[in-house]
Amino acid sequence: MKIAVLKEQAPGERRVAATPETVKKFIALGAEMAVESNAGEAASIADAQYAEMGAKVGSRAETLKGADIILGVQGPDPASITGAAPGAWLAAGLNPFGERARVDAYAAAGIEALAMEFMPRITRAQSMDILSSQSNLAGYKAVLDAASEYGRAFPMMMTAAGTISAARVFVMGVGVAGLQAIATARRLGAQVSATDVRSATREQIQSLGAKPIFVENVAGIEGEGSGGYAGEMSPEYQAAQAELVSGHIAKQDIVITTALIPGRPAPRLISAAQVASMKPGSVIVDLAVEAGGNVEGAVLGEVVEIGGVKIIGHKNVAGRLAADASALFSRNLYNFLSAFWDKESGRPVLDEEIGDAIRLTKGGQVVNARLLG
């Protein structure tokens, strides 16, 4: 059983799908590990560190030759992964909805593509969930990005020259990224509030010492989505939320938005008018910018300034913490494959619950129900 670890080719991608730690663990299972030269360079991992753990480090062609499983962070170009064993698995973040043509190409190439972001949100799969591990880092980094653009301090400071007021931070969307953003902003001393369409998050917000901002007594709320994600909001809820949030946003120094709906464009949470209501010097971080953005005026990959308000739209926020992001991502992959490792056959054998959820292609066909529905 040969497992290949590729150097990422997507522009700006600094993460790697295996670390020396997970390479050692895979070898202990009985796998042969092959790592493309310089695969971990951008994550501060030298080729020699992989070799010390027993991996063979070489060219892309050497790494892929006869590989039974290919590990990646982002889905590689199908034309760039030739030479693997027939029916080889590809386990990575594959962006199935946004890169459907690439999924079709994997099928045509005979690759069995496994989308790690389709991992079901069930208890036994928590350690395999790349969305959670990477979102946790993104929420943390979002607060640091905001702090670097904000021209003032976060905590209240009492000095001989006078008192500096604490920054007001508002987090919109209280999933994994939002919760980490709340915790990080609180650690920096900010006055934090947060909102979400899912009423169950109220206690989570309060447990972190932040103030929950929720629409009350509105019928037709549809915020409770499946699998732990937010769903669509009813028109009544959207109108009530817009009114409540508009008044709150105008008083904030920093707003961080994190709302995503799988397979759909990110919901618009902040309008141009709401941006204009904020004080000059305020900062907004849009963590959903790669999915279309929560904030009107946000630009993918840029920090723009509108009316004195900075809107941060960095790409691949977790990837900007490449070493830690790689460590967590690679453990997700190891936890996934090792959980299904069959000692007799010397390879992982997936069950139906998780296998059917993440498998996109098999036998030359696209087989995932979410892509066929």
Side-chain angles (χ1 to χ4, degrees):
M1 165 59 59
K2 179 178 179 180
I3 300 177
V5 181
L6 301 182
K7 178 178 174 61
E8 296 296 312
Q9 297 179 318
E13 181 55 78
R14 300 173 57 206
R15 294 170 292 178
V16 63
T19 61
E21 173 197 6
T22 58
V23 162
K24 182 179 180 180
K25 289 180 177 179
F26 277 124
I27 291 174
L29 290 177
E32 174 190 348
M33 295 299 296
V35 179
E36 184 178 357
S37 182
N38 297 321
E41 182 178 30
S44 303
I45 303 172
D47 287 348
Q49 293 175 268
Y50 288 116
E52 287 171 6
M53 293 301 167
K56 295 180 180 178
V57 180
S59 67
R60 194 175 187 87
E62 291 169 336
T63 300
L64 283 167
K65 185 177 180 181
D68 301 287
I69 299 176
I70 303 166
L71 303 182
V73 176
Q74 295 194 45
D77 180 347
S80 74
I81 53 174
T82 56
W89 291 7
L90 169 63
L94 300 180
N95 188 15
F97 296 116
E99 297 287 351
R100 177 55 197 269
R102 190 170 65 190
V103 173
D104 292 338
Y106 291 145
I111 295 290
E112 186 167 330
L114 306 175
M116 292 298 293
E117 62 266 65
F118 274 13
M119 188 67 63
R121 290 201 160 177
I122 55 178
T123 300
R124 69 189 181 97
Q126 286 181 346
S127 67
M128 313 171 193
D129 186 356
I130 64 168
L131 293 182
S132 291
S133 73
Q134 303 304 291
S135 293
N136 192 56
L137 289 172
Y140 165 79
K141 184 62 171 170
V143 176
L144 300 189
D145 288 339
S148 71
E149 296 290 344
Y150 184 53
R152 301 181 181 184
F154 263 50
M156 182 180 76
M157 296 183 182
M158 300 180 71
T159 75
T163 300
I164 297 173
S165 298
R168 297 184 177 213
V169 177
F170 182 37
V171 178
M172 303 184 71
V174 189
V176 174
L179 288 170
Q180 184 57 248
I182 292 169
T184 303
R186 287 280 296 158
R187 284 194 291 266
L188 292 178
Q191 180 180 323
V192 185
S193 58
T195 191
D196 196 288
V197 298
R198 296 166 297 165
S199 60
T201 61
R202 181 190 296 270
E203 292 183 2
Q204 294 174 308
I205 293 168
Q206 292 173 322
S207 72
L208 293 172
K211 179 182 179 180
I213 305 296
F214 278 85
V215 172
E216 305 288 352
N217 302 319
V218 176
I221 296 175
E222 300 167 10
E224 303 287 351
S226 62
Y229 295 96
E232 293 282 7
M233 294 178 288
S234 69
E236 294 84 1
Y237 188 93
Q238 288 178 320
Q241 186 192 48
E243 182 179 355
L244 174 68
V245 165
S246 289
H248 192 67
I249 283 177
K251 303 172 186 176
Q252 303 305 302
D253 301 303
I254 292 165
V255 180
I256 297 172
T257 68
T258 72
L260 291 167
I261 301 174
R264 300 185 185 182
R268 182 57 48 85
L269 301 183
I270 300 180
S271 67
Q274 290 169 327
V275 173
S277 74
M278 297 181 72
K279 302 182 297 288
S282 301
V283 177
I284 303 172
V285 182
D286 189 345
L287 282 181
V289 68
E290 291 180 278
N294 296 145
V295 183
E296 189 172 358
V299 179
L300 180 61
E302 297 184 20
V303 178
V304 298
E305 188 168 332
I306 301 174
V309 178
K310 291 183 178 179
I311 305 175
I312 301 173
H314 291 314
K315 295 180 180 178
N316 190 6
V317 175
R320 297 171 64 236
L321 296 168
D324 286 334
S326 297
L328 295 181
F329 195 104
S330 63
R331 288 172 194 159
N332 292 146
L333 287 171
Y334 172 78
N335 291 337
F336 162 56
L337 293 174
S338 64
F340 295 102
W341 200 271
D342 182 76
K343 292 182 180 179
E344 290 186 8
S345 61
R347 62 172 297 135
V349 179
L350 301 185
D351 65 12
E352 289 186 8
E353 183 177 29
I354 289 179
D356 290 351
I358 68 171
R359 186 182 296 108
L360 304 183
T361 62
K362 186 174 184 179
Q365 302 291 325
V366 175
V367 296
N368 193 279
R370 295 174 68 179
L371 297 180
L372 298 174

mmCIF file of all heavy atoms in Angstrom, residues 242-277:
data_model
loop_
_atom_site.group_PDB
_atom_site.id
_atom_site.type_symbol
_atom_site.label_atom_id
_atom_site.label_comp_id
_atom_site.label_asym_id
_atom_site.label_seq_id
_atom_site.Cartn_x
_atom_site.Cartn_y
_atom_site.Cartn_z
ATOM 1 N N ALA A 242 -32.109 42.026 9.968
ATOM 2 C CA ALA A 242 -31.494 43.192 9.334
ATOM 3 C C ALA A 242 -31.719 44.450 10.178
ATOM 4 O O ALA A 242 -30.806 45.273 10.350
ATOM 5 C CB ALA A 242 -32.056 43.386 7.933
ATOM 6 N N GLU A 243 -32.908 44.600 10.712
ATOM 7 C CA GLU A 243 -33.213 45.773 11.529
ATOM 8 C C GLU A 243 -32.405 45.770 12.822
ATOM 9 O O GLU A 243 -31.830 46.791 13.220
ATOM 10 C CB GLU A 243 -34.714 45.809 11.851
ATOM 11 C CG GLU A 243 -35.130 47.026 12.662
ATOM 12 C CD GLU A 243 -36.623 47.048 12.941
ATOM 13 O OE1 GLU A 243 -37.349 46.170 12.420
ATOM 14 O OE2 GLU A 243 -37.072 47.939 13.682
ATOM 15 N N LEU A 244 -32.357 44.602 13.485
ATOM 16 C CA LEU A 244 -31.618 44.496 14.734
ATOM 17 C C LEU A 244 -30.126 44.714 14.520
ATOM 18 O O LEU A 244 -29.475 45.481 15.246
ATOM 19 C CB LEU A 244 -31.860 43.120 15.357
ATOM 20 C CG LEU A 244 -31.041 42.796 16.606
ATOM 21 C CD1 LEU A 244 -31.492 43.674 17.772
ATOM 22 C CD2 LEU A 244 -31.168 41.318 16.965
ATOM 23 N N VAL A 245 -29.592 44.053 13.510
ATOM 24 C CA VAL A 245 -28.157 44.084 13.270
ATOM 25 C C VAL A 245 -27.694 45.464 12.809
ATOM 26 O O VAL A 245 -26.607 45.917 13.168
ATOM 27 C CB VAL A 245 -27.774 42.991 12.252
ATOM 28 C CG1 VAL A 245 -26.384 43.207 11.707
ATOM 29 C CG2 VAL A 245 -27.874 41.611 12.903
ATOM 30 N N SER A 246 -28.508 46.138 12.027
ATOM 31 C CA SER A 246 -28.115 47.461 11.525
ATOM 32 C C SER A 246 -27.793 48.412 12.666
ATOM 33 O O SER A 246 -26.772 49.113 12.633
ATOM 34 C CB SER A 246 -29.240 48.051 10.656
ATOM 35 O OG SER A 246 -29.336 47.368 9.437
ATOM 36 N N GLY A 247 -28.648 48.441 13.673
ATOM 37 C CA GLY A 247 -28.402 49.320 14.804
ATOM 38 C C GLY A 247 -27.172 48.907 15.591
ATOM 39 O O GLY A 247 -26.440 49.759 16.112
ATOM 40 N N HIS A 248 -26.924 47.604 15.666
ATOM 41 C CA HIS A 248 -25.785 47.107 16.439
ATOM 42 C C HIS A 248 -24.471 47.338 15.701
ATOM 43 O O HIS A 248 -23.469 47.745 16.316
ATOM 44 C CB HIS A 248 -25.989 45.617 16.714
ATOM 45 C CG HIS A 248 -25.045 45.067 17.738
ATOM 46 N ND1 HIS A 248 -25.083 45.428 19.068
ATOM 47 C CD2 HIS A 248 -24.012 44.177 17.627
ATOM 48 C CE1 HIS A 248 -24.139 44.786 19.731
ATOM 49 N NE2 HIS A 248 -23.480 44.025 18.878
ATOM 50 N N ILE A 249 -24.449 47.085 14.401
ATOM 51 C CA ILE A 249 -23.227 47.227 13.616
ATOM 52 C C ILE A 249 -22.694 48.662 13.674
ATOM 53 O O ILE A 249 -21.480 48.888 13.748
ATOM 54 C CB ILE A 249 -23.470 46.803 12.152
ATOM 55 C CG1 ILE A 249 -23.489 45.273 12.050
ATOM 56 C CG2 ILE A 249 -22.409 47.368 11.215
ATOM 57 C CD1 ILE A 249 -23.795 44.752 10.663
ATOM 58 N N ALA A 250 -23.589 49.629 13.653
ATOM 59 C CA ALA A 250 -23.176 51.039 13.640
ATOM 60 C C ALA A 250 -22.343 51.407 14.868
ATOM 61 O O ALA A 250 -21.585 52.376 14.841
ATOM 62 C CB ALA A 250 -24.403 51.931 13.553
ATOM 63 N N LYS A 251 -22.460 50.617 15.945
ATOM 64 C CA LYS A 251 -21.754 50.923 17.189
ATOM 65 C C LYS A 251 -20.453 50.118 17.327
ATOM 66 O O LYS A 251 -19.730 50.287 18.316
ATOM 67 C CB LYS A 251 -22.650 50.604 18.389
ATOM 68 C CG LYS A 251 -23.978 51.344 18.380
ATOM 69 C CD LYS A 251 -24.882 50.813 19.497
ATOM 70 C CE LYS A 251 -26.280 51.425 19.427
ATOM 71 N NZ LYS A 251 -27.188 50.840 20.451
ATOM 72 N N GLN A 252 -20.163 49.251 16.364
ATOM 73 C CA GLN A 252 -19.030 48.341 16.506
ATOM 74 C C GLN A 252 -17.748 48.905 15.896
ATOM 75 O O GLN A 252 -17.775 49.688 14.949
ATOM 76 C CB GLN A 252 -19.344 46.995 15.848
ATOM 77 C CG GLN A 252 -20.595 46.329 16.406
ATOM 78 C CD GLN A 252 -20.561 46.150 17.898
ATOM 79 O OE1 GLN A 252 -19.660 45.519 18.445
ATOM 80 N NE2 GLN A 252 -21.558 46.717 18.583
ATOM 81 N N ASP A 253 -16.625 48.467 16.453
ATOM 82 C CA ASP A 253 -15.318 48.807 15.889
ATOM 83 C C ASP A 253 -14.850 47.749 14.899
ATOM 84 O O ASP A 253 -14.202 48.061 13.900
ATOM 85 C CB ASP A 253 -14.284 48.929 17.010
ATOM 86 C CG ASP A 253 -14.656 49.990 18.026
ATOM 87 O OD1 ASP A 253 -14.836 51.148 17.615
ATOM 88 O OD2 ASP A 253 -14.790 49.660 19.219
ATOM 89 N N ILE A 254 -15.181 46.497 15.200
ATOM 90 C CA ILE A 254 -14.746 45.379 14.360
ATOM 91 C C ILE A 254 -15.904 44.399 14.214
ATOM 92 O O ILE A 254 -16.582 44.073 15.190
ATOM 93 C CB ILE A 254 -13.538 44.656 14.981
ATOM 94 C CG1 ILE A 254 -12.305 45.574 14.956
ATOM 95 C CG2 ILE A 254 -13.233 43.344 14.268
ATOM 96 C CD1 ILE A 254 -11.178 45.113 15.835
ATOM 97 N N VAL A 255 -16.136 43.952 12.984
ATOM 98 C CA VAL A 255 -17.147 42.925 12.717
ATOM 99 C C VAL A 255 -16.468 41.779 11.977
ATOM 100 O O VAL A 255 -15.706 42.005 11.037
ATOM 101 C CB VAL A 255 -18.316 43.475 11.874
ATOM 102 C CG1 VAL A 255 -19.342 42.373 11.617
ATOM 103 C CG2 VAL A 255 -18.976 44.664 12.560
ATOM 104 N N ILE A 256 -16.730 40.559 12.407
ATOM 105 C CA ILE A 256 -16.181 39.370 11.754
ATOM 106 C C ILE A 256 -17.349 38.504 11.309
ATOM 107 O O ILE A 256 -18.189 38.126 12.130
ATOM 108 C CB ILE A 256 -15.261 38.589 12.704
ATOM 109 C CG1 ILE A 256 -14.058 39.446 13.082
ATOM 110 C CG2 ILE A 256 -14.804 37.277 12.063
ATOM 111 C CD1 ILE A 256 -13.186 38.861 14.169
ATOM 112 N N THR A 257 -17.421 38.214 10.008
ATOM 113 C CA THR A 257 -18.522 37.403 9.474
ATOM 114 C C THR A 257 -17.993 36.034 9.052
ATOM 115 O O THR A 257 -16.932 35.928 8.435
ATOM 116 C CB THR A 257 -19.215 38.089 8.282
ATOM 117 O OG1 THR A 257 -18.320 38.127 7.161
ATOM 118 C CG2 THR A 257 -19.635 39.510 8.634
ATOM 119 N N THR A 258 -18.764 34.988 9.366
ATOM 120 C CA THR A 258 -18.295 33.615 9.131
ATOM 121 C C THR A 258 -19.352 32.716 8.499
ATOM 122 O O THR A 258 -19.161 31.505 8.434
ATOM 123 C CB THR A 258 -17.866 32.969 10.466
ATOM 124 O OG1 THR A 258 -19.035 32.687 11.247
ATOM 125 C CG2 THR A 258 -16.945 33.875 11.273
ATOM 126 N N ALA A 259 -20.479 33.287 8.035
ATOM 127 C CA ALA A 259 -21.635 32.464 7.650
ATOM 128 C C ALA A 259 -21.454 31.792 6.292
ATOM 129 O O ALA A 259 -21.211 32.459 5.285
ATOM 130 C CB ALA A 259 -22.896 33.326 7.639
ATOM 131 N N LEU A 260 -21.626 30.486 6.277
ATOM 132 C CA LEU A 260 -21.552 29.691 5.053
ATOM 133 C C LEU A 260 -22.714 28.711 5.012
ATOM 134 O O LEU A 260 -23.149 28.207 6.056
ATOM 135 C CB LEU A 260 -20.244 28.909 4.985
ATOM 136 C CG LEU A 260 -18.956 29.706 4.789
ATOM 137 C CD1 LEU A 260 -17.752 28.827 5.061
ATOM 138 C CD2 LEU A 260 -18.897 30.278 3.379
ATOM 139 N N ILE A 261 -23.219 28.434 3.817
ATOM 140 C CA ILE A 261 -24.220 27.398 3.601
ATOM 141 C C ILE A 261 -23.658 26.452 2.542
ATOM 142 O O ILE A 261 -23.402 26.869 1.414
ATOM 143 C CB ILE A 261 -25.570 27.984 3.131
ATOM 144 C CG1 ILE A 261 -26.120 28.970 4.175
ATOM 145 C CG2 ILE A 261 -26.572 26.867 2.866
ATOM 146 C CD1 ILE A 261 -27.373 29.697 3.718
ATOM 147 N N PRO A 262 -23.411 25.182 2.884
ATOM 148 C CA PRO A 262 -22.784 24.248 1.938
ATOM 149 C C PRO A 262 -23.531 24.176 0.607
ATOM 150 O O PRO A 262 -24.750 24.040 0.576
ATOM 151 C CB PRO A 262 -22.845 22.908 2.676
ATOM 152 C CG PRO A 262 -22.883 23.273 4.119
ATOM 153 C CD PRO A 262 -23.689 24.533 4.182
ATOM 154 N N GLY A 263 -22.769 24.283 -0.480
ATOM 155 C CA GLY A 263 -23.336 24.138 -1.815
ATOM 156 C C GLY A 263 -24.059 25.362 -2.333
ATOM 157 O O GLY A 263 -24.610 25.326 -3.438
ATOM 158 N N ARG A 264 -24.065 26.453 -1.553
ATOM 159 C CA ARG A 264 -24.753 27.671 -1.985
ATOM 160 C C ARG A 264 -23.854 28.883 -1.760
ATOM 161 O O ARG A 264 -22.932 28.827 -0.942
ATOM 162 C CB ARG A 264 -26.055 27.852 -1.208
ATOM 163 C CG ARG A 264 -27.037 26.708 -1.389
ATOM 164 C CD ARG A 264 -28.357 27.015 -0.698
ATOM 165 N NE ARG A 264 -29.278 25.882 -0.770
ATOM 166 C CZ ARG A 264 -30.505 25.897 -0.288
ATOM 167 N NH1 ARG A 264 -30.963 26.982 0.326
ATOM 168 N NH2 ARG A 264 -31.284 24.832 -0.390
ATOM 169 N N PRO A 265 -24.138 29.991 -2.446
ATOM 170 C CA PRO A 265 -23.363 31.202 -2.174
ATOM 171 C C PRO A 265 -23.527 31.631 -0.720
ATOM 172 O O PRO A 265 -24.570 31.397 -0.099
ATOM 173 C CB PRO A 265 -23.980 32.239 -3.133
ATOM 174 C CG PRO A 265 -24.634 31.431 -4.206
ATOM 175 C CD PRO A 265 -25.113 30.171 -3.532
ATOM 176 N N ALA A 266 -22.494 32.246 -0.174
ATOM 177 C CA ALA A 266 -22.569 32.723 1.202
ATOM 178 C C ALA A 266 -23.678 33.753 1.338
ATOM 179 O O ALA A 266 -23.881 34.581 0.441
ATOM 180 C CB ALA A 266 -21.228 33.343 1.608
ATOM 181 N N PRO A 267 -24.439 33.731 2.432
ATOM 182 C CA PRO A 267 -25.526 34.704 2.598
ATOM 183 C C PRO A 267 -24.976 36.109 2.828
ATOM 184 O O PRO A 267 -23.937 36.287 3.467
ATOM 185 C CB PRO A 267 -26.254 34.188 3.852
ATOM 186 C CG PRO A 267 -25.213 33.428 4.603
ATOM 187 C CD PRO A 267 -24.329 32.802 3.569
ATOM 188 N N ARG A 268 -25.657 37.101 2.287
ATOM 189 C CA ARG A 268 -25.251 38.490 2.481
ATOM 190 C C ARG A 268 -25.721 38.957 3.849
ATOM 191 O O ARG A 268 -26.920 39.006 4.125
ATOM 192 C CB ARG A 268 -25.851 39.366 1.366
ATOM 193 C CG ARG A 268 -25.463 40.850 1.411
ATOM 194 C CD ARG A 268 -23.967 41.097 1.385
ATOM 195 N NE ARG A 268 -23.246 40.364 0.375
ATOM 196 C CZ ARG A 268 -23.106 40.769 -0.883
ATOM 197 N NH1 ARG A 268 -23.669 41.874 -1.296
ATOM 198 N NH2 ARG A 268 -22.398 40.044 -1.736
ATOM 199 N N LEU A 269 -24.793 39.294 4.728
ATOM 200 C CA LEU A 269 -25.101 39.714 6.086
ATOM 201 C C LEU A 269 -24.973 41.213 6.292
ATOM 202 O O LEU A 269 -25.658 41.782 7.140
ATOM 203 C CB LEU A 269 -24.182 38.998 7.090
ATOM 204 C CG LEU A 269 -24.208 37.469 7.125
ATOM 205 C CD1 LEU A 269 -23.286 36.958 8.223
ATOM 206 C CD2 LEU A 269 -25.628 36.942 7.318
ATOM 207 N N ILE A 270 -24.071 41.834 5.555
ATOM 208 C CA ILE A 270 -23.811 43.261 5.742
ATOM 209 C C ILE A 270 -23.917 43.970 4.399
ATOM 210 O O ILE A 270 -23.202 43.646 3.446
ATOM 211 C CB ILE A 270 -22.424 43.501 6.359
ATOM 212 C CG1 ILE A 270 -22.320 42.809 7.721
ATOM 213 C CG2 ILE A 270 -22.137 44.982 6.515
ATOM 214 C CD1 ILE A 270 -20.983 42.983 8.402
ATOM 215 N N SER A 271 -24.806 44.954 4.334
ATOM 216 C CA SER A 271 -25.022 45.722 3.112
ATOM 217 C C SER A 271 -24.074 46.922 3.050
ATOM 218 O O SER A 271 -23.431 47.281 4.049
ATOM 219 C CB SER A 271 -26.464 46.215 3.062
ATOM 220 O OG SER A 271 -26.683 47.169 4.095
ATOM 221 N N ALA A 272 -24.025 47.547 1.890
ATOM 222 C CA ALA A 272 -23.212 48.755 1.730
ATOM 223 C C ALA A 272 -23.679 49.850 2.678
ATOM 224 O O ALA A 272 -22.871 50.606 3.236
ATOM 225 C CB ALA A 272 -23.271 49.230 0.281
ATOM 226 N N ALA A 273 -24.984 49.923 2.892
ATOM 227 C CA ALA A 273 -25.522 50.945 3.803
ATOM 228 C C ALA A 273 -25.059 50.691 5.234
ATOM 229 O O ALA A 273 -24.761 51.636 5.982
ATOM 230 C CB ALA A 273 -27.044 50.961 3.733
ATOM 231 N N GLN A 274 -24.994 49.423 5.625
ATOM 232 C CA GLN A 274 -24.528 49.087 6.968
ATOM 233 C C GLN A 274 -23.035 49.363 7.125
ATOM 234 O O GLN A 274 -22.577 49.810 8.176
ATOM 235 C CB GLN A 274 -24.858 47.631 7.283
ATOM 236 C CG GLN A 274 -26.356 47.385 7.463
ATOM 237 C CD GLN A 274 -26.703 45.905 7.510
ATOM 238 O OE1 GLN A 274 -26.065 45.080 6.862
ATOM 239 N NE2 GLN A 274 -27.733 45.571 8.271
ATOM 240 N N VAL A 275 -22.274 49.107 6.069
ATOM 241 C CA VAL A 275 -20.848 49.463 6.093
ATOM 242 C C VAL A 275 -20.699 50.964 6.292
ATOM 243 O O VAL A 275 -19.886 51.435 7.105
ATOM 244 C CB VAL A 275 -20.145 49.015 4.794
ATOM 245 C CG1 VAL A 275 -18.708 49.552 4.752
ATOM 246 C CG2 VAL A 275 -20.142 47.500 4.667
ATOM 247 N N ALA A 276 -21.517 51.725 5.562
ATOM 248 C CA ALA A 276 -21.447 53.193 5.638
ATOM 249 C C ALA A 276 -21.835 53.727 7.009
ATOM 250 O O ALA A 276 -21.428 54.829 7.396
ATOM 251 C CB ALA A 276 -22.339 53.805 4.566
ATOM 252 N N SER A 277 -22.602 52.941 7.771
ATOM 253 C CA SER A 277 -23.031 53.393 9.104
ATOM 254 C C SER A 277 -21.935 53.264 10.150
ATOM 255 O O SER A 277 -22.048 53.826 11.241
ATOM 256 C CB SER A 277 -24.257 52.585 9.553
ATOM 257 O OG SER A 277 -23.879 51.258 9.941
#
